[in-house]
Amino acid sequence: MDNSSLDAVLAHIDANIDSSRARWFDLLRIPSISAQPAHKPDCIRAAAHMRDLLTGMGFEARLSETKGLPGVIATHHHAGGNAPRVLFYGHYDVQPADPIALWHSDPFDPQLVEGPDGARVVARGAVDDKGQVMMVLEAIRAHLAVNRALPVNLTVLLEGEEECGSPSLEAMLDAERAALAADFVLVADTNMWNRDTPAITTSLRGLAALELRITGPNRDLHSGLFGGPALNPIRALTRILGDLFDETGTIAIPGFYDGIAEIPADVLASWKATGFDEAGWLAAIGLDRASGEQGRSVLEQNWSRPTAEINGIFGGYQGAGSKTVIPAEAGAKLTFRLVPGQNPDAVIAGFKRFVQQRLLPGAQAHFEVYGASPGLMVPIDAPFVRAARGALAAEFGKAPVLAGCGASIPVVEAFERQLGLQTLLVGFGLDDDCIHSPNEKFEMRCFHRGMRAEARMLAAFGMEG
Amino acid sequence: MDNSSLDAVLAHIDANIDSSRARWFDLLRIPSISAQPAHKPDCIRAAAHMRDLLTGMGFEARLSETKGLPGVIATHHHAGGNAPRVLFYGHYDVQPADPIALWHSDPFDPQLVEGPDGARVVARGAVDDKGQVMMVLEAIRAHLAVNRALPVNLTVLLEGEEECGSPSLEAMLDAERAALAADFVLVADTNMWNRDTPAITTSLRGLAALELRITGPNRDLHSGLFGGPALNPIRALTRILGDLFDETGTIAIPGFYDGIAEIPADVLASWKATGFDEAGWLAAIGLDRASGEQGRSVLEQNWSRPTAEINGIFGGYQGAGSKTVIPAEAGAKLTFRLVPGQNPDAVIAGFKRFVQQRLLPGAQAHFEVYGASPGLMVPIDAPFVRAARGALAAEFGKAPVLAGCGASIPVVEAFERQLGLQTLLVGFGLDDDCIHSPNEKFEMRCFHRGMRAEARMLAAFGMEG
């Protein structure tokens, strides 16, 4: 695809933004709240709407039935055998609109309103994920309008249960393995670094979750009549957990950091170059310093380093006042955020050994593992990442931030585990878009530049093929 | 009082045991459950009954009104100025009888039944404390019957709210300070060492109770998006509490053990001589070794050494499964059992320093102190203790065990703090008497030897005067 052809696509996007927004609004008017059974017909209507919309664009589109809400699968495979195969994933379902009273307008009657940074669209799903999905589809529409062709072989997968935990996704990926064959996945469900700076999320932390329960006496005991000689399970528990970190904030489980590669210097430099406001980030949550590993920035800690968090702790008396009890047991919920290179099973085994080695005589440790998934990283020099970096730099006049994400995104883990596919995460939301909250918005400027950036990326993927 | 006179008192007790039991049964038939408002009239009836009974014995007796249930105060001060002044304390109220279905007979219709160790009386309050009170009063009655006099100047104080936390006791002790003037307090509300061995409780542990709360972030946080840099209050809490004991089970708070005198060698030897079954005691609560200070026996740990117990711990998510949260706060309930010599205020101040010194940056500690009372000890060579030891040895043919008690007995602390009086704790219950439980019993053998022992003690007090 030559530059003049891409320029024509971008010009088409600019010239047709009103009709793009009109199609976006059509989708926003369907209250496809997947978590609420009363809205099941709306969800099915939204799926059919997307199937028909993709069919109208020249895709072969169909619903993929599941035990829950259907997926939409559409293919446009006319770019030839040498062109890359791209699987675009999005979701057509939205969060509930509650609390409704806090909305300034009907969440399912999208409004174009003026904000401090120009026009914005306000509606449930404005950005998450209907706005971002329509942004990509309108970029595709522009390519097709100008060139009657796409630079890549494209498959679209729209899920209908992302906002309620994706209960049917795994089965759907298994059943549609052949239809979903691709070279990589493109997802538009994340944010820009800021209004003027795009971002690619190149690493996600994994998660290992478990419960530790410590038992001791065979029943609750009176702490006066038994205190001293009788083992207190809370003492045994806190003795173990109190050892979990050393003085520098480093996790003290032997082997915990095994396999982790240091972040490349140029990536660290790009994080530093963001000018991230550590003090402001911390102040917003009521803190005045970072508590993780010393000598690592907040971004580095959050994006590239593993954690051990005690998410809950319990045992004995928790009511008002005092009770002189030695409980029969105590416990804690823990999660470990994992980064690429760490073996989740080895982390859990290492924690169990750590506990056993610190167990007071007479105490028993019981573990329940809830799950373990590895950290994921997209190599920043993979062809599709290189293509996206160039396209985003061309649109925004600056290189995208290569960001990490401290949280897990289950669908990305599922693509990796079930289909062996890496995922390119590029999105154009802003941190203040109020996803999952009242008055969700997507700024027209983000939508518009997002469409242009997606059009450029599609072209760039084609040239990398 | 000469020996033949004492022998006559003992013979009178033996000869009149049936009528003693009949008077005991009269009291047991009154359901004086202080915790249940419906039984308030019964409690008042029990108080009047005791007043009249004491009047009939030659005491000057009256009720002492409180905001709650009345006390009974009776004096018999005819032994002369050189005779010691003894304040006998007991309580006429009883625990609720629930669960009624588990009783084999009406809890307020006392039954004389045969048990494996001879006849026993079964009723609510059989031993706690109506049986032990009547045992003392019948010993007094025998002295009066034989000698028309008592060897001591005696004041009787019967409380009506012991089983519901003694809410009016402090005010009553203040109001009746003059009437209650004495040299020491005699209480019969504890147990023998075993069926054949009497015991004097010479030390009680005190109690300091508080809650520690650790705060950090200004709200609950997502552990993926914030984990690492954001302080986790549960981490801060467990880090502090995990340091509370060293490797030998010793409490690591600086100064915690300040002021504690070692138990005299002869007392330790007498504890050892009891043949206390440590393994059996531990096995009964599901443990196979003692967890307190190494090198100290179970009895020593429980009777004479202070403890730090975490009675409860809480923070974050405690439900089923896992939740990726960093909570805004976490906390723990602690009690310290204190022994004579320790300053409760200093212990609390020391713990606060201990916490502050281990506080992670960004964490704040908040304390709520629920109360602090010192450990108490009755010197084993005080005249009244010496007298009791001799009297018990004479009755049982063996020296009493000089026991400690790991728990606190609030009334003893109140006599010490408010009236400056030491308390002699001698009782004739057994550990399996089921106080506070269905089918409470007092064995006739214990009641009978208890009366004789009380008669001997009264005589011995008189000779020490």
Side-chain angles (χ1 to χ4, degrees), chain A residues 428-446:
Chain A
F428 296 89
L430 295 174
D431 287 344
D432 68 356
D433 278 348
C434 300
I435 65 166
H436 299 202
S437 299
N439 305 306
E440 178 179 350
K441 55 94 175 163
F442 196 8
E443 302 196 2
M444 280 307 298
R445 161 203 181 99
C446 295

Side-chain angles (χ1 to χ4, degrees), chain B residues 296-369:
Chain B
R296 296 187 187 268
S297 71
V298 163
L299 286 189
E300 196 181 351
Q301 287 179 26
N302 191 243
W303 287 356
S304 72
R305 300 298 296 177
T307 67
E309 294 290 352
I310 308 164
N311 305 109
I313 193 163
F314 50 91
Y317 181 68
Q318 306 188 13
S322 179
K323 185 178 176 186
T324 51
V325 67
I326 297 174
E329 68 172 64
K333 309 267 185 184
L334 291 103
T335 51
F336 299 95
R337 295 280 168 182
L338 305 178
V339 300
Q342 283 182 297
N343 176 332
D345 296 332
V347 165
I348 287 176
F351 176 70
K352 288 181 176 176
R353 271 194 307 274
F354 181 87
V355 169
Q356 296 292 356
Q357 287 165 356
R358 282 161 182 76
L359 212 48
L360 284 176
Q364 289 88 41
H366 313 265
F367 300 92
E368 184 171 359
V369 177

Side-chain angles (χ1 to χ4, degrees), chain A residues 205 218 223-225 227-229 232 235 239 247 284-285 291-292 301-302 309-313 315 317 319 321 325 333 337 406, chain B residues 205 218 223-225 227-229 232 235 239 247 284-285 291-292 301-302 309-313 315 317 319 321 325 333 406:
Chain A
R205 292 197 291 192
N218 56 15
S223 73
L225 300 178
N232 185 331
R235 172 182 160 200
R239 180 172 188 271
E247 293 299 313
I285 55 174
S291 287
Q301 286 179 26
N302 191 244
E309 294 290 353
I310 308 164
N311 305 109
I313 194 164
Y317 183 66
V325 66
K333 309 267 187 184
R337 295 282 168 180
Chain B
R205 292 197 291 193
N218 54 16
S223 74
L225 301 177
N232 184 330
R235 172 183 159 198
R239 182 173 187 273
E247 294 298 314
I285 55 173
S291 288
Q301 287 179 26
N302 191 243
E309 294 290 352
I310 308 164
N311 305 109
I313 193 163
Y317 181 68
V325 67
K333 309 267 185 184

Side-chain angles (χ1 to χ4, degrees), chain B residues 158-195:
Chain B
L158 302 178
E159 185 188 359
E161 300 180 327
E162 200 268 354
E163 298 292 6
C164 61
S166 297
S168 310
L169 181 69
E170 184 169 336
M172 184 164 64
L173 294 189
D174 273 345
E176 302 281 8
R177 183 177 301 274
L180 301 175
D183 296 313
F184 67 94
V185 184
L186 175 68
V187 173
D189 201 12
T190 51
N191 287 353
M192 301 175 68
W193 178 252
N194 60 38
R195 237 171 223 89

Side-chain angles (χ1 to χ4, degrees), chain B residues 83-218:
Chain B
R85 299 171 300 167
V86 180
L87 173 60
F88 169 61
Y89 165 89
H91 60 92
Y92 67 77
D93 64 325
V94 296
Q95 280 276 313
D98 311 81
I100 298 272
L102 298 186
W103 284 81
H104 303 314
S105 56
D106 181 341
F108 297 105
D109 180 13
Q111 303 291 316
L112 183 66
V113 299
E114 274 305 305
D117 293 284
R120 54 174 62 182
V121 169
V122 176
R124 167 56 79 232
V127 61
D128 177 20
D129 189 29
K130 288 176 175 174
Q132 302 227 44
V133 164
M134 290 306 294
M135 172 188 80
V136 174
L137 297 189
E138 290 300 310
I140 292 166
R141 182 185 296 273
H143 271 282
L144 291 169
V146 172
N147 302 313
R148 310 271 152 210
L150 291 179
V152 298
N153 293 308
L154 189 65
T155 304
V156 173
L157 168 63
L158 302 178
E159 185 188 359
E161 300 180 327
E162 200 268 354
E163 298 292 6
C164 61
S166 297
S168 310
L169 181 69
E170 184 169 336
M172 184 164 64
L173 294 189
D174 273 345
E176 302 281 8
R177 183 177 301 274
L180 301 175
D183 296 313
F184 67 94
V185 184
L186 175 68
V187 173
D189 201 12
T190 51
N191 287 353
M192 301 175 68
W193 178 252
N194 60 38
R195 237 171 223 89
D196 303 312
T197 316
I200 303 176
T201 301
T202 58
S203 68
L204 295 170
R205 292 197 291 193
L207 187 69
L210 54 77
E211 178 176 296
L212 163 64
R213 220 159 37 81
I214 303 286
T215 54
N218 54 16

Side-chain angles (χ1 to χ4, degrees), chain A residues 4 49 53 131:
Chain A
S4 67
H49 176 90
L53 181 136

